[in-house]
Amino acid sequence: MGKAFDIMLIFEFIPTLIHYLGVTLQILAVSIILGFVLGIAAAIPRLYKIPLLNQLVILYVSFIRGTPILIQLFLVFYGLPALLMLLFSIDITRMEAIYFVIITYAISNGAGFSEIFRAAIRAVDYGQTEAAFSVGMTSRQNFFRIVLPQAVRIAFPNMANSVIGSLKDTSLAFTIGVMDMMGRGDTLIAATAHALEVYLSLSIIYYIVVLLFEKIFSKLEKYFNRYQKADVTAVA
Amino acid sequence: MIYLKGIKKSFNQLPVLKGINLKIEKGEVVTILGPSGSGKTTLLRCLNFLEKPNAGLVQIGNIIVDAEKATKKEMLAIRKQSAMVFQHYNLFAHKTVVENVMEGLIVAKKVKKKDARQQSERVLDKVGLSDKLDHYPSQLSGGQQQRVGIARALALNPEVILFDEPTSALDPELVGDVLSVIKSIAQEGITMVVVTHEMSFAREVSNRVLFMDEGVIVEEGTPLEIFHAAKEERTRRFLQRISGETYFLPLKEQVN
């Protein structure tokens, strides 16, 4: 790829690229929040074995797990406008590319989250529910006051992994023309022909952001685990 | 007062309770003995509908529920008449000791948080844990956890406290502590139904002993009657085996 390697360029590119970190984080934040809601909605039919919906969710989750995210992105990008046109004659072909990205990642995260939630809720000892009933709680009170807080602790490490995975996956958004960090990198390469330097700058930025996320998550995890066995000596 | 009539329960067509009739007066301490699989724990759990009986009437205090037609609301109402102490404690893992005791008061009894805390602290003092209020269950020994379990039940001031093998999961040296707490609250005149393998407890504390086997109450009477003059062969055999004397017979024979 053309020009001689120039190490200084790596650092010169960083400010230009980091300017687009906001877009990346925006995609991540919105798709995580939507995925969270979708994940809860999808976990409910699985937990309560609601007929039909249960099977649909199983299919949804297995399809998302079994196909590459890049292909899902294209399926949404080309498929969603076609589908909406066919069913409701709504034309969304002019919608900004970033929305397609967000929808794709929300669907993808939703599938992952639903499995994480389901497993976490199942993992809370049934004895906790029996105890809640024995003191006179309703099913709803039991779920929100006893089961859910403990499920959050169990789900958290997997959620954190998903978020970090998702952050890295957003780098595919440029393939449908979204101007995030990766998209900007692409144009930089076209303009300067210093591909290696651009990719090195990008890796540095992604790496630092991931490290930061990991730091925050490990703090949160400690908080969620405060009532677990680990630090008996600290309080006793 | 507790009144059971014709309680039947099966799991997957396997009958576990075959029509239990039982009356327990206010202030009575009743222990249920019996071999494992005899249905004693199931009977206890039918009292607060943790197991829903297939048929029969359950009355606790002034709430009567027909098991066959029990609605969620009725089940909740009858649960509020009782409290349970579990074999494996089942303390709320994410709540501190005092929060565990407060939880039922706040959520089910709608007691104000401040009052709930006061009441909970008083009960925890009674079971000797006032120095552990802000500990989490995972930081306590089994015996301490079970005493929190007892405090949680006691705080609700229910018509009856149900004990499901409260000392079976404890290390032997911790059993004494927990039993003495149960004894002391028994002496306060709280109605208790206790499923246990602690014969000394059954003998010393209870007013009445039920012996169950294969889903029926085989025999009932005062501890004196059951332990020293059991009428039924099955009861005698069970008590003999529990007391451990026959355990060593085969060994002795081998030695000779």
Side-chain angles (χ1 to χ4, degrees):
Chain A
M1 299 280 203
K3 306 200 177 155
F5 180 71
D6 182 351
I7 199 161
M8 290 317 290
L9 276 180
I10 300 173
F11 303 100
E12 272 174 41
F13 287 152
I14 285 180
T16 319
L17 292 169
I18 224 163
H19 196 68
Y20 292 82
L21 179 62
V23 180
T24 295
L25 292 180
Q26 222 173 354
I27 296 171
L28 182 70
V30 180
S31 67
I32 294 287
I33 292 166
L34 291 178
F36 198 88
V37 176
L38 194 61
I40 290 174
I44 289 169
R46 296 282 279 129
L47 283 168
Y48 294 97
K49 299 234 159 53
I50 301 170
L52 197 66
L53 276 179
N54 188 19
Q55 277 79 6
L56 279 175
V57 172
I58 293 174
L59 184 69
Y60 157 54
V61 172
S62 96
F63 179 79
I64 297 294
R65 278 183 165 181
T67 51
I69 183 97
L70 185 59
I71 290 176
Q72 292 163 20
L73 188 58
F74 286 132
L75 282 179
V76 171
F77 185 59
Y78 294 111
L80 193 63
L83 193 71
L84 287 179
M85 188 53 114
L86 196 72
L87 294 179
F88 309 106
S89 338
I90 300 171
D91 182 15
I92 57 161
T93 43
R94 290 179 178 216
M95 195 165 77
E96 270 184 70
I98 190 167
Y99 294 112
F100 291 102
V101 173
I102 287 171
I103 291 168
T104 310
Y105 287 96
I107 291 172
S108 170
N109 282 326
F113 288 167
S114 81
E115 285 298 282
I116 293 172
F117 294 154
R118 186 174 71 95
I121 286 168
R122 284 263 170 86
V124 175
D125 179 19
Y126 191 67
Q128 299 283 313
T129 296
E130 293 195 334
F133 287 160
S134 82
V135 300
M137 285 195 210
T138 62
S139 303
R140 182 184 296 261
Q141 288 165 338
N142 166 53
F143 183 76
F144 286 105
R145 299 187 62 101
I146 306 299
V147 176
L148 195 61
Q150 297 188 53
V152 167
R153 176 187 72 78
I154 298 167
F156 188 77
N158 286 328
M159 293 275 300
N161 281 340
S162 272
V163 170
I164 287 172
S166 204
L167 168 75
K168 292 185 288 181
D169 282 345
T170 57
S171 65
L172 294 171
F174 83 105
T175 54
I176 59 168
V178 172
M179 192 51 91
D180 67 336
M181 277 199 304
M182 194 69 190
R184 184 68 184 95
D186 213 33
T187 59
L188 263 182
I189 293 169
T192 64
H194 281 285
L196 182 57
E197 291 86 339
V198 169
Y199 288 127
L200 281 170
S201 313
L202 282 169
S203 8
I204 290 170
I205 298 172
Y206 277 111
Y207 187 41
I208 288 173
V209 174
V210 168
L211 286 182
L212 229 86
F213 270 50
E214 277 176 349
K215 189 102 193 155
I216 295 167
F217 288 153
S218 98
K219 283 248 158 70
L220 278 171
E221 202 174 320
K222 252 197 202 125
Y223 171 76
F224 284 131
N225 276 319
R226 70 198 177 283
Y227 53 81
Q228 289 300 105
K229 218 139 208 151
D231 54 348
V232 177
T233 47
V235 191
Chain B
M1 188 201 65
I2 299 172
Y3 179 62
L4 297 180
K5 192 180 163 198
I7 297 296
K8 287 186 184 153
K9 174 76 187 174
S10 0
F11 294 109
N12 305 322
Q13 271 107 47
L14 180 80
V16 176
L17 298 177
K18 299 171 182 165
I20 303 281
N21 298 310
L22 181 62
K23 204 170 167 185
I24 297 171
E25 298 300 332
K26 204 167 170 61
E28 242 188 319
V29 177
V30 176
T31 45
I32 306 178
L33 305 179
S36 59
S38 60
K40 52 194 194 305
T41 291
T42 306
L43 177 62
L44 196 72
R45 291 162 60 88
C46 279
L47 279 169
N48 64 353
F49 281 77
L50 283 186
E51 303 292 354
K52 193 173 163 214
N54 303 120
L57 276 180
V58 181
Q59 176 178 7
I60 302 179
N62 47 16
I63 308 270
I64 307 172
V65 178
D66 182 349
E68 257 173 299
K69 292 177 267 180
T71 62
K72 271 189 181 172
K73 216 171 153 190
E74 286 178 317
M75 276 159 54
L76 187 67
I78 203 150
R79 269 184 196 141
K80 288 189 178 179
Q81 299 288 307
S82 67
M84 192 173 229
V85 175
F86 296 87
Q87 181 177 2
H88 297 288
Y89 334 128
N90 296 10
L91 299 182
F92 303 130
H94 61 308
K95 297 199 173 280
T96 62
V97 166
V98 70
E99 285 168 351
N100 259 277
V101 182
M102 288 161 66
E103 188 69 7
L105 290 173
I106 293 171
V107 180
K109 296 212 134 181
K110 311 283 177 214
V111 178
K112 284 213 189 80
K113 209 169 171 183
K114 214 176 121 203
D115 299 336
R117 186 164 176 113
Q118 254 173 14
Q119 289 177 34
S120 302
E121 284 178 2
R122 208 163 40 231
V123 180
L124 281 164
D125 189 42
K126 205 185 266 184
V127 300
L129 286 173
S130 40
D131 56 332
K132 304 277 186 206
L133 296 182
D134 297 319
H135 283 53
Y136 285 103
S138 63
Q139 299 165 327
L140 303 180
S141 72
Q144 290 167 336
Q145 289 190 52
Q146 193 57 299
R147 283 185 291 163
V148 178
I150 294 168
R152 178 171 69 181
L154 204 55
L156 294 167
N157 195 21
E159 289 279 323
V160 57
I161 301 183
L162 311 169
F163 291 83
D164 182 13
E165 305 193 24
T167 57
S168 298
L170 294 173
D171 289 343
E173 79 263 28
L174 302 174
V175 170
D177 273 358
V178 171
L179 279 183
S180 68
V181 168
I182 301 177
K183 267 184 207 173
S184 74
I185 59 175
Q187 278 148 12
E188 289 178 21
I190 293 166
T191 317
M192 308 195 324
V193 183
V194 188
V195 169
T196 185
H197 292 295
E198 289 292 329
M199 294 303 137
S200 63
F201 177 84
R203 215 179 317 214
E204 291 162 28
V205 185
S206 53
N207 311 109
R208 185 148 54 113
V209 178
L210 307 181
F211 175 70
M212 280 184 75
D213 196 13
E214 292 179 359
V216 294
I217 296 174
V218 175
E219 189 169 0
E220 62 176 294
T222 63
L224 212 64
E225 287 166 345
I226 296 290
F227 285 103
H228 298 289
K231 294 187 204 84
E232 298 289 328
E233 174 61 25
R234 265 193 291 178
T235 317
R236 280 202 297 271
R237 233 183 312 141
F238 173 76
L239 291 171
Q240 203 171 40
R241 231 175 347 178
I242 285 277
S243 66
E245 282 155 28
T246 49
Y247 258 22
F248 300 100
L249 273 182
L251 278 179
K252 270 188 199 159
E253 276 162 18
Q254 273 178 9
V255 172
N256 293 337

